[in-house]
Coordinates of all heavy atoms in Angstrom, one line a residue:
M1 N 6.2 -0.6 -35.9 CA 5.4 -1.0 -34.8 C 4.0 -1.2 -35.3 O 3.4 -0.5 -36.1 CB 5.4 0.0 -33.7 CG 4.6 -0.4 -32.5 SD 4.9 0.6 -31.0 CE 4.2 2.2 -31.6
R2 N 3.3 -2.3 -34.8 CA 1.9 -2.6 -35.1 C 1.1 -2.5 -33.9 O 1.5 -2.9 -32.8 CB 1.8 -3.9 -35.8 CG 2.7 -4.0 -37.1 CD 2.5 -5.1 -37.9 NE 1.2 -5.5 -38.4 CZ 0.5 -4.9 -39.4 NH1 1.1 -4.0 -40.1 NH2 -0.7 -5.3 -39.8
L3 N -0.1 -1.9 -34.1 CA -1.0 -1.7 -33.0 C -2.3 -2.5 -33.2 O -2.8 -2.4 -34.3 CB -1.4 -0.2 -32.8 CG -0.2 0.7 -32.4 CD1 -0.6 2.1 -32.4 CD2 0.4 0.3 -31.1
P4 N -2.9 -3.1 -32.2 CA -4.1 -3.9 -32.4 C -5.3 -2.9 -32.1 O -5.7 -2.7 -31.0 CB -4.0 -5.0 -31.3 CG -3.2 -4.4 -30.2 CD -2.3 -3.4 -30.9
C5 N -6.0 -2.5 -33.2 CA -7.2 -1.7 -33.1 C -8.3 -2.6 -32.7 O -8.5 -3.6 -33.4 CB -7.5 -0.9 -34.4 SG -9.0 0.0 -34.3
P6 N -9.0 -2.3 -31.6 CA -10.2 -3.2 -31.2 C -11.3 -3.2 -32.3 O -12.2 -4.0 -32.2 CB -10.6 -2.7 -29.9 CG -10.0 -1.3 -29.8 CD -8.8 -1.2 -30.7
F7 N -11.3 -2.2 -33.1 CA -12.4 -2.1 -34.1 C -11.9 -2.6 -35.5 O -12.8 -3.2 -36.2 CB -12.8 -0.6 -34.3 CG -13.1 0.1 -33.0 CD1 -12.3 1.0 -32.5 CD2 -14.3 -0.2 -32.4 CE1 -12.6 1.7 -31.3 CE2 -14.6 0.4 -31.2 CZ -13.8 1.3 -30.7
C8 N -10.7 -2.5 -35.9 CA -10.2 -2.8 -37.2 C -9.2 -4.0 -37.3 O -8.9 -4.4 -38.3 CB -9.5 -1.6 -37.9 SG -10.5 -0.1 -37.9
G9 N -8.7 -4.4 -36.1 CA -7.7 -5.4 -36.1 C -6.3 -4.8 -36.1 O -6.1 -3.6 -35.9
E10 N -5.3 -5.6 -36.2 CA -3.9 -5.1 -36.2 C -3.5 -4.3 -37.4 O -3.8 -4.6 -38.5 CB -2.9 -6.3 -36.1 CG -1.5 -5.9 -35.8 CD -0.6 -7.1 -35.5 OE1 -0.8 -7.8 -34.5 OE2 0.3 -7.3 -36.3
R11 N -2.9 -3.1 -37.1 CA -2.6 -2.1 -38.1 C -1.2 -1.6 -37.9 O -0.7 -1.5 -36.7 CB -3.6 -1.0 -38.2 CG -5.0 -1.4 -38.5 CD -5.1 -1.8 -40.0 NE -6.5 -1.9 -40.4 CZ -7.1 -3.1 -40.6 NH1 -6.5 -4.2 -40.2 NH2 -8.3 -3.1 -41.0
D12 N -0.6 -1.0 -38.9 CA 0.7 -0.3 -38.8 C 0.5 1.0 -38.0 O -0.5 1.7 -38.1 CB 1.2 0.0 -40.1 CG 2.7 0.5 -40.0 OD1 3.6 -0.3 -40.0 OD2 2.9 1.7 -40.0
A13 N 1.4 1.3 -37.1 CA 1.4 2.5 -36.3 C 1.2 3.8 -37.1 O 0.8 4.8 -36.6 CB 2.5 2.6 -35.3
A14 N 1.7 3.8 -38.3 CA 1.6 5.0 -39.2 C 0.1 5.4 -39.4 O -0.1 6.5 -39.8 CB 2.3 4.7 -40.5
E15 N -0.8 4.5 -39.2 CA -2.2 4.8 -39.4 C -2.8 5.6 -38.2 O -3.9 6.1 -38.2 CB -3.1 3.5 -39.6 CG -2.9 2.8 -40.9 CD -3.9 1.7 -41.0 OE1 -4.9 1.6 -40.3 OE2 -3.6 0.8 -41.9
F16 N -2.0 5.6 -37.1 CA -2.5 6.2 -35.8 C -1.8 7.5 -35.6 O -0.7 7.8 -36.0 CB -2.2 5.2 -34.7 CG -3.0 4.0 -34.8 CD1 -2.5 2.9 -35.5 CD2 -4.2 3.8 -34.1 CE1 -3.2 1.7 -35.6 CE2 -4.9 2.6 -34.1 CZ -4.4 1.6 -34.9
R17 N -2.4 8.3 -34.7 CA -1.8 9.6 -34.2 C -1.6 9.4 -32.7 O -2.6 9.1 -32.0 CB -2.7 10.8 -34.5 CG -2.3 12.1 -33.9 CD -1.1 12.7 -34.6 NE -1.4 13.0 -35.9 CZ -0.5 13.2 -36.9 NH1 0.7 13.1 -36.6 NH2 -0.9 13.4 -38.1
Y18 N -0.4 9.5 -32.2 CA -0.1 9.4 -30.8 C -0.6 10.6 -30.0 O -0.3 11.7 -30.4 CB 1.4 9.2 -30.6 CG 1.8 9.1 -29.2 CD1 1.6 8.0 -28.5 CD2 2.5 10.2 -28.6 CE1 2.1 7.9 -27.2 CE2 3.0 10.1 -27.3 CZ 2.7 9.0 -26.6 OH 3.1 8.9 -25.3
R19 N -1.3 10.4 -29.0 CA -1.8 11.5 -28.2 C -1.0 11.7 -26.9 O -0.8 12.8 -26.4 CB -3.3 11.3 -27.9 CG -3.9 12.3 -26.9 CD -3.8 13.7 -27.3 NE -4.4 14.6 -26.4 CZ -3.8 15.2 -25.3 NH1 -2.6 14.9 -25.0 NH2 -4.5 16.0 -24.5
G20 N -0.5 10.6 -26.3 CA 0.3 10.7 -25.1 C -0.3 9.8 -24.0 O -1.1 8.9 -24.3
D21 N 0.2 10.0 -22.8 CA -0.2 9.3 -21.6 C -1.7 9.3 -21.5 O -2.4 10.3 -21.6 CB 0.5 9.9 -20.4 CG 0.4 9.0 -19.2 OD1 -0.4 8.1 -19.2 OD2 1.1 9.3 -18.2
A22 N -2.3 8.1 -21.2 CA -3.8 8.0 -21.1 C -4.3 8.4 -19.8 O -5.5 8.6 -19.6 CB -4.2 6.6 -21.4
A23 N -3.4 8.6 -18.8 CA -3.9 9.0 -17.5 C -4.3 10.5 -17.4 O -3.5 11.4 -17.8 CB -2.8 8.8 -16.4
P24 N -5.5 10.8 -17.1 CA -5.9 12.2 -17.1 C -5.2 13.0 -15.9 O -5.2 12.5 -14.8 CB -7.4 12.1 -16.8 CG -7.7 10.8 -16.2 CD -6.6 9.9 -16.7
R25 N -4.7 14.1 -16.3 CA -3.9 14.9 -15.3 C -4.2 16.4 -15.5 O -3.3 17.2 -15.4 CB -2.5 14.6 -15.4 CG -2.0 13.2 -15.1 CD -0.5 13.1 -15.2 NE 0.1 13.8 -16.3 CZ 0.4 13.2 -17.5 NH1 0.2 12.0 -17.7 NH2 0.9 13.9 -18.4
Q26 N -5.4 16.7 -15.9 CA -5.7 18.2 -16.1 C -5.5 19.0 -14.8 O -5.9 18.5 -13.7 CB -7.1 18.3 -16.6 CG -7.2 18.0 -18.1 CD -8.6 18.5 -18.6 OE1 -9.6 18.2 -18.0 NE2 -8.6 19.2 -19.7
P27 N -4.9 20.1 -14.9 CA -4.8 21.0 -13.8 C -6.2 21.5 -13.4 O -7.1 21.6 -14.2 CB -3.9 22.1 -14.2 CG -4.0 22.1 -15.7 CD -4.3 20.7 -16.1
P28 N -6.4 21.9 -12.1 CA -7.7 22.4 -11.7 C -8.0 23.7 -12.3 O -7.1 24.4 -12.8 CB -7.5 22.5 -10.1 CG -6.1 22.6 -9.9 CD -5.4 21.8 -11.0
P29 N -9.3 24.1 -12.4 CA -9.7 25.4 -13.0 C -8.9 26.6 -12.4 O -8.7 27.6 -13.2 CB -11.2 25.5 -12.8 CG -11.6 24.1 -12.5 CD -10.4 23.4 -11.9
E30 N -8.6 26.6 -11.2 CA -7.9 27.7 -10.6 C -6.4 27.7 -10.7 O -5.7 28.6 -10.2 CB -8.3 27.8 -9.1 CG -7.7 26.6 -8.2 CD -8.6 25.4 -8.2 OE1 -9.7 25.4 -8.9 OE2 -8.2 24.4 -7.6
A31 N -5.9 26.8 -11.5 CA -4.4 26.7 -11.7 C -3.9 28.0 -12.4 O -4.5 28.6 -13.2 CB -4.1 25.5 -12.6
D32 N -2.6 28.3 -12.0 CA -2.0 29.5 -12.6 C -1.4 29.1 -14.0 O -1.4 28.0 -14.4 CB -0.9 30.0 -11.7 CG 0.2 29.0 -11.4 OD1 0.2 27.9 -12.0 OD2 1.1 29.4 -10.6
A33 N -0.9 30.1 -14.6 CA -0.3 29.9 -16.0 C 0.8 28.9 -16.0 O 1.0 28.1 -17.0 CB 0.1 31.3 -16.6
A34 N 1.7 28.9 -15.0 CA 2.8 28.0 -14.9 C 2.3 26.5 -14.9 O 2.9 25.6 -15.5 CB 3.7 28.3 -13.8
A35 N 1.3 26.2 -14.1 CA 0.7 24.9 -14.0 C 0.1 24.5 -15.3 O 0.3 23.3 -15.7 CB -0.3 24.8 -12.9
I36 N -0.5 25.4 -16.0 CA -1.2 25.0 -17.3 C -0.1 24.8 -18.3 O -0.1 23.8 -19.1 CB -2.1 26.1 -17.7 CG1 -3.3 26.2 -16.8 CG2 -2.6 25.9 -19.2 CD1 -4.2 27.4 -16.9
A37 N 1.0 25.6 -18.3 CA 2.1 25.4 -19.2 C 2.8 24.0 -19.0 O 3.1 23.3 -19.9 CB 3.1 26.5 -19.1
D38 N 3.0 23.7 -17.7 CA 3.6 22.4 -17.4 C 2.7 21.3 -17.9 O 3.2 20.3 -18.5 CB 3.7 22.2 -15.8 CG 4.8 23.1 -15.3 OD1 5.6 23.7 -16.1 OD2 5.0 23.1 -14.0
H39 N 1.4 21.4 -17.7 CA 0.5 20.4 -18.2 C 0.5 20.2 -19.7 O 0.5 19.1 -20.3 CB -1.0 20.7 -17.8 CG -2.0 19.8 -18.5 ND1 -2.2 18.5 -18.2 CD2 -2.9 20.1 -19.4 CE1 -3.2 18.0 -18.9 NE2 -3.6 19.0 -19.7
L40 N 0.7 21.3 -20.4 CA 0.7 21.3 -21.9 C 2.0 20.8 -22.5 O 2.0 20.1 -23.5 CB 0.3 22.6 -22.5 CG -1.1 23.1 -22.2 CD1 -1.3 24.5 -22.7 CD2 -2.1 22.2 -22.9
Y41 N 3.1 21.1 -21.9 CA 4.4 21.0 -22.5 C 5.4 20.0 -21.8 O 6.3 19.5 -22.5 CB 5.1 22.3 -22.7 CG 4.3 23.3 -23.5 CD1 3.7 24.4 -22.9 CD2 4.1 23.1 -24.8 CE1 2.9 25.3 -23.7 CE2 3.3 23.9 -25.6 CZ 2.7 25.0 -25.0 OH 1.9 25.9 -25.7
L42 N 5.2 19.7 -20.6 CA 6.1 18.8 -19.9 C 5.5 17.4 -19.7 O 4.4 17.3 -19.2 CB 6.4 19.4 -18.5 CG 7.1 20.7 -18.4 CD1 7.4 21.1 -17.0 CD2 8.4 20.7 -19.2
R43 N 6.2 16.4 -20.3 CA 5.7 15.1 -20.3 C 6.8 14.1 -19.7 O 7.9 14.3 -20.0 CB 5.3 14.6 -21.7 CG 4.3 15.4 -22.4 CD 2.9 15.0 -21.9 NE 1.9 15.7 -22.6 CZ 0.9 16.4 -22.0 NH1 0.9 16.5 -20.7 NH2 0.0 17.0 -22.7
D44 N 6.3 13.1 -19.0 CA 7.2 12.1 -18.5 C 7.5 11.2 -19.7 O 6.8 11.1 -20.7 CB 6.5 11.2 -17.4 CG 6.3 12.0 -16.1 OD1 7.1 13.0 -15.9 OD2 5.4 11.6 -15.4
N45 N 8.7 10.6 -19.7 CA 9.1 9.7 -20.7 C 9.6 8.4 -20.0 O 10.8 8.1 -20.0 CB 10.2 10.3 -21.5 CG 10.5 9.5 -22.8 OD1 9.8 8.6 -23.2 ND2 11.7 9.8 -23.4
P46 N 8.7 7.6 -19.5 CA 9.1 6.4 -18.7 C 9.6 5.3 -19.6 O 9.2 5.1 -20.7 CB 7.8 6.0 -18.1 CG 6.7 6.4 -19.0 CD 7.2 7.7 -19.6
A47 N 10.5 4.6 -19.0 CA 11.0 3.4 -19.7 C 10.3 2.2 -19.0 O 10.5 1.9 -17.9 CB 12.5 3.2 -19.5
G48 N 9.4 1.6 -19.8 CA 8.7 0.4 -19.2 C 7.2 0.6 -19.6 O 6.8 1.3 -20.5
P49 N 6.3 -0.1 -18.9 CA 4.9 -0.2 -19.2 C 4.3 1.2 -19.0 O 4.6 1.9 -18.1 CB 4.3 -1.1 -18.2 CG 5.5 -1.9 -17.7 CD 6.7 -1.0 -17.8
I50 N 3.4 1.5 -20.0 CA 2.6 2.8 -19.9 C 1.3 2.6 -20.7 O 1.2 1.7 -21.5 CB 3.4 3.9 -20.6 CG1 2.7 5.3 -20.4 CG2 3.7 3.7 -22.0 CD1 3.5 6.5 -20.8
R51 N 0.3 3.4 -20.3 CA -1.0 3.4 -21.0 C -1.0 4.6 -21.8 O -0.8 5.7 -21.3 CB -2.1 3.4 -20.0 CG -2.2 2.1 -19.2 CD -3.2 2.2 -18.1 NE -4.5 2.7 -18.5 CZ -5.6 2.1 -18.4 NH1 -5.7 1.0 -17.8 NH2 -6.8 2.7 -18.8
E52 N -1.2 4.5 -23.1 CA -1.1 5.6 -24.1 C -2.5 5.7 -24.8 O -3.2 4.8 -25.0 CB -0.1 5.4 -25.1 CG 1.3 5.2 -24.5 CD 2.3 4.7 -25.6 OE1 2.0 3.8 -26.4 OE2 3.4 5.2 -25.5
L53 N -2.7 6.9 -25.2 CA -3.9 7.2 -26.0 C -3.5 7.4 -27.5 O -2.6 8.2 -27.8 CB -4.6 8.5 -25.5 CG -6.0 8.9 -25.9 CD1 -7.0 7.8 -25.6 CD2 -6.4 10.2 -25.3
W54 N -4.2 6.7 -28.4 CA -3.9 6.7 -29.8 C -5.2 7.0 -30.6 O -6.3 6.5 -30.2 CB -3.3 5.4 -30.3 CG -2.0 5.1 -29.8 CD1 -1.6 4.7 -28.6 CD2 -0.7 5.3 -30.5 NE1 -0.3 4.5 -28.5 CE2 0.3 4.9 -29.7 CE3 -0.4 5.7 -31.8 CZ2 1.6 4.9 -30.1 CZ3 0.9 5.7 -32.2 CH2 1.9 5.3 -31.3
Y55 N -5.2 7.7 -31.6 CA -6.3 8.0 -32.5 C -6.1 7.3 -33.9 O -5.0 7.5 -34.5 CB -6.4 9.5 -32.7 CG -7.5 9.9 -33.7 CD1 -8.8 9.7 -33.4 CD2 -7.2 10.5 -34.9 CE1 -9.8 10.0 -34.3 CE2 -8.2 10.9 -35.8 CZ -9.5 10.6 -35.5 OH -10.5 11.0 -36.4
H56 N -7.0 6.5 -34.3 CA -6.9 5.7 -35.5 C -7.3 6.6 -36.7 O -8.4 6.4 -37.2 CB -7.6 4.4 -35.5 CG -7.2 3.5 -36.5 ND1 -7.8 2.2 -36.6 CD2 -6.4 3.5 -37.5 CE1 -7.3 1.6 -37.6 NE2 -6.4 2.4 -38.2
R57 N -6.5 7.5 -37.1 CA -6.8 8.5 -38.2 C -6.9 7.9 -39.5 O -7.6 8.3 -40.4 CB -5.9 9.7 -38.2 CG -4.5 9.3 -38.5 CD -3.5 10.4 -38.3 NE -2.1 10.0 -38.4 CZ -1.4 10.1 -39.5 NH1 -1.9 10.6 -40.6 NH2 -0.2 9.6 -39.5
G58 N -6.2 6.8 -39.8 CA -6.2 6.2 -41.1 C -7.1 5.0 -41.2 O -7.0 4.2 -42.1
G59 N -8.0 4.9 -40.2 CA -8.9 3.7 -40.2 C -10.3 4.1 -39.7 O -11.0 5.0 -40.3
C60 N -10.7 3.6 -38.6 CA -12.0 3.8 -38.0 C -12.2 5.1 -37.4 O -13.3 5.5 -37.0 CB -12.3 2.7 -37.0 SG -11.2 2.7 -35.5
Q61 N -11.2 5.9 -37.2 CA -11.2 7.2 -36.5 C -11.7 7.1 -35.1 O -12.3 8.0 -34.6 CB -12.1 8.2 -37.3 CG -11.5 8.4 -38.7 CD -12.3 9.4 -39.5 OE1 -13.4 9.9 -39.1 NE2 -11.8 9.7 -40.7
G62 N -11.3 6.0 -34.5 CA -11.7 5.8 -33.1 C -10.5 6.1 -32.2 O -9.3 6.0 -32.6
W63 N -10.7 6.4 -30.9 CA -9.7 6.6 -29.9 C -9.5 5.3 -29.2 O -10.5 4.6 -28.7 CB -10.1 7.7 -28.9 CG -10.0 9.0 -29.5 CD1 -11.0 9.7 -30.1 CD2 -8.9 9.9 -29.6 NE1 -10.5 10.9 -30.5 CE2 -9.2 11.1 -30.2 CE3 -7.5 9.7 -29.1 CZ2 -8.3 12.1 -30.4 CZ3 -6.6 10.7 -29.3 CH2 -7.0 11.9 -29.9
I64 N -8.3 4.8 -29.0 CA -8.0 3.6 -28.2 C -6.9 3.9 -27.2 O -6.1 4.8 -27.3 CB -7.5 2.5 -29.2 CG1 -6.2 2.8 -29.8 CG2 -8.6 2.1 -30.2 CD1 -5.6 1.6 -30.6
V65 N -7.0 3.1 -26.1 CA -5.9 3.1 -25.1 C -5.1 1.8 -25.4 O -5.6 0.7 -25.5 CB -6.5 3.0 -23.7 CG1 -5.4 2.9 -22.7 CG2 -7.3 4.3 -23.4
V66 N -3.8 2.0 -25.4 CA -2.8 0.9 -25.7 C -1.9 0.8 -24.4 O -1.3 1.8 -24.0 CB -2.0 1.2 -26.9 CG1 -0.9 0.1 -27.1 CG2 -2.8 1.3 -28.2
E67 N -1.8 -0.4 -23.9 CA -0.9 -0.7 -22.8 C 0.3 -1.3 -23.5 O 0.3 -2.3 -24.1 CB -1.5 -1.6 -21.8 CG -2.7 -1.0 -21.1 CD -3.4 -1.9 -20.1 OE1 -3.0 -3.1 -20.0 OE2 -4.3 -1.5 -19.5
R68 N 1.4 -0.5 -23.4 CA 2.6 -0.9 -24.1 C 3.9 -0.7 -23.3 O 4.0 0.2 -22.5 CB 2.7 0.0 -25.4 CG 3.9 -0.1 -26.3 CD 3.8 0.8 -27.5 NE 4.0 2.1 -27.2 CZ 5.2 2.7 -27.2 NH1 6.3 2.0 -27.6 NH2 5.4 4.0 -26.9
D69 N 4.9 -1.5 -23.5 CA 6.2 -1.3 -22.9 C 7.1 -0.5 -23.8 O 7.3 -0.9 -25.0 CB 6.9 -2.7 -22.7 CG 8.1 -2.6 -21.8 OD1 9.0 -1.7 -22.1 OD2 8.2 -3.4 -20.9
T70 N 7.5 0.7 -23.4 CA 8.3 1.6 -24.2 C 9.6 1.1 -24.6 O 10.3 1.6 -25.5 CB 8.4 3.0 -23.5 OG1 9.0 2.8 -22.3 CG2 7.0 3.6 -23.3
R71 N 10.2 0.1 -23.8 CA 11.5 -0.4 -24.1 C 11.5 -1.4 -25.3 O 12.4 -1.5 -26.1 CB 12.1 -1.1 -22.9 CG 12.4 -0.1 -21.7 CD 12.7 -0.9 -20.5 NE 11.5 -1.6 -20.1 CZ 11.3 -2.1 -18.9 NH1 12.2 -1.9 -18.0 NH2 10.2 -2.7 -18.6
T72 N 10.4 -2.2 -25.3 CA 10.3 -3.3 -26.3 C 9.2 -3.1 -27.4 O 9.2 -3.8 -28.3 CB 10.0 -4.6 -25.6 OG1 8.8 -4.6 -25.0 CG2 11.1 -5.0 -24.6
H73 N 8.3 -2.1 -27.1 CA 7.2 -1.9 -28.0 C 6.2 -3.0 -27.9 O 5.2 -3.1 -28.7 CB 7.5 -1.6 -29.4 CG 8.4 -0.3 -29.5 ND1 7.9 0.9 -29.2 CD2 9.6 -0.2 -30.0 CE1 8.9 1.8 -29.4 NE2 9.9 1.2 -29.9
E74 N 6.3 -3.9 -27.0 CA 5.4 -5.0 -26.8 C 4.0 -4.5 -26.3 O 4.0 -3.8 -25.3 CB 5.9 -6.1 -25.8 CG 5.0 -7.2 -25.6 CD 5.5 -8.2 -24.6 OE1 6.7 -8.1 -24.2 OE2 4.7 -9.1 -24.2
V75 N 3.0 -4.8 -27.0 CA 1.6 -4.4 -26.6 C 1.0 -5.4 -25.8 O 0.8 -6.6 -26.2 CB 0.8 -4.0 -27.9 CG1 -0.6 -3.7 -27.5 CG2 1.4 -2.9 -28.7
A76 N 0.6 -5.0 -24.5 CA -0.1 -6.0 -23.6 C -1.6 -6.0 -23.8 O -2.2 -7.0 -23.7 CB 0.3 -5.6 -22.2
A77 N -2.2 -4.8 -24.2 CA -3.6 -4.7 -24.4 C -3.9 -3.5 -25.2 O -3.2 -2.5 -25.2 CB -4.3 -4.7 -23.0
A78 N -5.1 -3.5 -25.8 CA -5.6 -2.3 -26.5 C -7.2 -2.4 -26.4 O -7.7 -3.5 -26.6 CB -5.2 -2.3 -27.9
F79 N -7.8 -1.3 -26.1 CA -9.2 -1.3 -25.9 C -9.8 0.1 -26.2 O -9.0 1.1 -26.2 CB -9.6 -1.7 -24.5 CG -8.9 -1.0 -23.4 CD1 -9.4 0.2 -22.9 CD2 -7.7 -1.5 -22.9 CE1 -8.8 0.9 -21.8 CE2 -7.1 -0.8 -21.8 CZ -7.6 0.4 -21.3
P80 N -11.1 0.2 -26.5 CA -11.6 1.6 -26.8 C -11.4 2.5 -25.6 O -11.6 2.1 -24.5 CB -13.1 1.3 -27.0 CG -13.2 -0.2 -27.4 CD -12.1 -0.8 -26.6
A81 N -11.1 3.8 -25.9 CA -10.9 4.7 -24.9 C -12.2 5.0 -24.1 O -12.1 5.5 -22.9 CB -10.4 6.0 -25.5
S82 N -13.3 4.7 -24.6 CA -14.6 4.9 -23.9 C -14.8 3.9 -22.7 O -15.6 4.2 -21.9 CB -15.8 4.8 -24.9 OG -15.8 3.5 -25.4
E83 N -14.0 2.8 -22.7 CA -14.1 1.8 -21.6 C -13.1 2.3 -20.5 O -11.9 2.5 -20.8 CB -13.7 0.5 -22.1 CG -14.6 -0.1 -23.1 CD -14.2 -1.5 -23.6 OE1 -13.3 -2.1 -22.9 OE2 -14.7 -2.0 -24.6
D84 N -13.6 2.4 -19.3 CA -12.8 2.8 -18.2 C -12.2 1.5 -17.6 O -12.9 0.7 -16.9 CB -13.7 3.5 -17.2 CG -12.9 4.1 -16.0 OD1 -11.6 4.1 -16.1 OD2 -13.5 4.5 -15.0
R85 N -10.9 1.3 -17.8 CA -10.3 0.1 -17.3 C -9.1 0.5 -16.3 O -8.0 -0.1 -16.4 CB -9.7 -0.8 -18.4 CG -10.8 -1.3 -19.3 CD -10.2 -2.3 -20.2 NE -11.1 -2.9 -21.1 CZ -10.8 -3.8 -22.0 NH1 -9.6 -4.3 -22.1 NH2 -11.8 -4.2 -22.8
R86 N -9.3 1.4 -15.4 CA -8.2 1.8 -14.5 C -8.0 0.8 -13.5 O -8.7 0.1 -12.9 CB -8.5 3.1 -13.9 CG -8.5 4.2 -14.9 CD -8.8 5.5 -14.3 NE -9.7 6.2 -15.1 CZ -9.9 7.5 -15.1 NH1 -9.3 8.2 -14.2 NH2 -10.7 8.1 -15.9

């Protein structure tokens, strides 16, 4: 799979580290241990479009958000994680 880094151009996915879903879902500060464990270890695995967070460890060392279809790996968009595009 190839990912379009907005800083370096298109690169092989092996240069990146996958972080997960880009939607912030941190539990509130008063959350119990079970809620924190769920946040850390339970992840959805949707079939279809998703926004993911990737770290370009083998290049610019920047964080990017990739909008990708998990069924086809087709990338619809990629932009710096610092840009809020919700």
Side-chain angles (χ1 to χ4, degrees):
M1 180 171 66
R2 297 191 57 83
L3 297 175
C5 177
F7 306 109
C8 305
E10 189 172 294
R11 299 287 192 261
D12 190 85
E15 290 187 17
F16 295 84
R17 174 74 62 201
Y18 176 75
R19 169 60 177 88
D21 191 346
R25 297 182 317 263
Q26 282 191 310
E30 66 274 1
D32 62 4
I36 293 171
D38 286 353
H39 169 72
L40 293 174
Y41 301 110
L42 298 181
R43 300 279 185 234
D44 291 335
N45 190 15
I50 187 171
R51 290 170 53 123
E52 302 170 319
L53 192 58
W54 291 79
Y55 175 65
H56 195 177
R57 63 186 170 99
C60 64
Q61 299 180 355
W63 286 93
I64 64 172
V65 174
V66 175
E67 295 178 357
R68 178 177 74 90
D69 189 313
T70 60
R71 294 170 295 201
T72 63
H73 299 298
E74 180 181 350
V75 175
F79 52 89
S82 60
E83 293 181 15
D84 187 12
R85 295 190 183 182
R86 293 181 222 198

